[in-house]
Amino acid sequence: MTTTPKDPTTALPGRPPIVDLVTWQTARNELLVREKAHTHEGDALAAARRRLPMVEFDGTVEVVGPDGPVPFLDLFQGREELVVYKHMWYDGAPHQGQCEGCTMTTWQLRDTVYLNARGVSFAVLTTGAWPEVAAYVDFMGYTQPWYSVRDVEEPVGGEMGYLTCFLRDGDRAFLTYSTTGRGNEPVAGSFGLLDRTPYGRGEAWEDKPEGWPEGRHACWYWRSDADGNATWGPTSRPVPQWTRPGATPVETLGRHGPHH
């Protein structure tokens, strides 16, 4: 058990040092200079993205949704811009066996009303067969437009785990931008918040002071057991599946069996 030292300037193990408000504000102001530089560099990168060339492709290629096959152009919903998330898919896996990283990303994109208000549509694409995808979407309670792009080539189909942006000019469709890996992080506001906490994300790769809680492998907290404890195992599943209303271990394992 950690006790408060008599000397308030003494650094506790695994805790930031204790200082007075003036000292804290000085350190905070110094860090703010670096944060502002980071923000300005981010603005410059965004400007460079806007200047990327684009690739035209056949916008009539069909994807499969709740109404059957539809041309990709339909995903724009009459708007000029479209952002899609390409959700990885494991054929035949129970719901709790689908990708935890893609689950985290998609869960935080359930409401895209602000994108729509800006004239940007959003959809989730995946290579899963539509009957499996439809059951998963229903189970998770997702309301975003989902489509199967099984056997569809790039840039609509192909590799999954990407955020990809498209532009429409009438009946013409263009690929403008795509990213993967940590480039997907802007979607997940939780990362930005965790990066501002004393202990960060709790992952092994982070640069932490000596004595801080030991980091674990990336995304270790994205899976939980029935009690919400971070774990990996046959009955674990992505956190939103435990925390969404009505989710129970009995429901999941009874309907879909354990994940192998």
Side-chain angles (χ1 to χ4, degrees):
M1 180 177 179
T2 303
T3 57
T4 303
K6 293 181 180 179
D7 181 357
T9 63
T10 301
L12 300 171
R15 301 287 192 277
I18 299 173
V19 298
D20 60 81
L21 183 58
V22 173
T23 303
W24 176 87
Q25 189 65 61
T26 299
R28 176 69 191 94
N29 290 344
E30 292 175 355
L31 179 60
L32 183 60
V33 173
R34 296 177 60 190
E35 288 181 330
K36 290 295 185 182
H38 179 74
T39 298
H40 294 155
E41 177 60 19
D43 293 341
L45 285 171
R49 291 188 194 104
R50 289 190 287 272
R51 289 165 173 77
L52 279 175
M54 59 186 183
V55 179
E56 185 169 7
F57 63 95
D58 183 5
T60 66
V61 64
E62 291 187 334
V63 298
V64 180
D67 299 322
V70 298
F72 180 77
L73 283 168
D74 281 12
L75 275 59
F76 284 86
Q77 298 178 321
R79 301 183 178 97
E80 291 185 346
E81 296 178 286
L82 170 68
V83 175
V84 305
Y85 181 69
K86 294 187 171 183
H87 195 293
M88 295 174 67
W89 192 264
Y90 304 128
D91 287 342
H95 296 333
Q96 73 268 25
Q98 295 301 338
C99 176
E100 63 278 349
C102 288
T103 300
M104 180 185 187
T105 300
T106 308
W107 189 258
Q108 296 186 77
L109 278 167
R110 285 173 295 166
D111 189 343
T112 56
V113 64
Y114 290 108
L115 287 178
N116 298 159
R118 174 60 182 77
V120 180
S121 292
F122 174 77
V124 182
L125 308 182
T126 187
T127 56
W130 180 250
E132 282 193 19
V133 174
Y136 179 72
V137 171
D138 178 66
F139 172 80
M140 292 296 292
Y142 287 138
T143 58
Q144 318 100 316
W146 278 67
Y147 296 90
S148 170
V149 293
R150 199 175 190 84
D151 300 323
V152 177
E153 296 182 354
E154 292 277 8
V156 174
E159 294 285 336
M160 297 288 107
Y162 290 75
L163 277 170
T164 306
C165 299
F166 300 94
L167 181 68
R168 180 180 68 86
D169 182 5
D171 293 333
R172 301 176 68 186
F174 303 88
L175 165 70
T176 61
Y177 181 73
S178 187
T179 188
T180 188
R182 294 192 62 187
N184 294 338
E185 287 187 5
V187 171
S190 298
F191 281 137
L193 293 176
L194 288 171
D195 286 343
R196 284 157 176 76
T197 64
Y199 292 154
R201 305 183 189 189
E203 296 181 355
W205 60 267
E206 290 179 288
D207 179 2
K208 294 182 288 289
E210 184 176 355
W212 251 234
E214 184 176 353
R216 299 167 69 176
H217 58 76
C219 74
W220 63 270
Y221 50 86
W222 295 0
R223 281 185 176 268
S224 297
D225 62 18
D227 297 319
N229 300 310
T231 184
W232 291 81
T235 60
S236 68
R237 64 184 186 188
V239 170
Q241 296 187 10
W242 285 130
T243 57
R244 67 174 184 80
T248 66
V250 175
E251 173 192 357
T252 300
L253 298 181
R255 288 174 56 186
H256 305 286
H259 173 42
H260 296 287

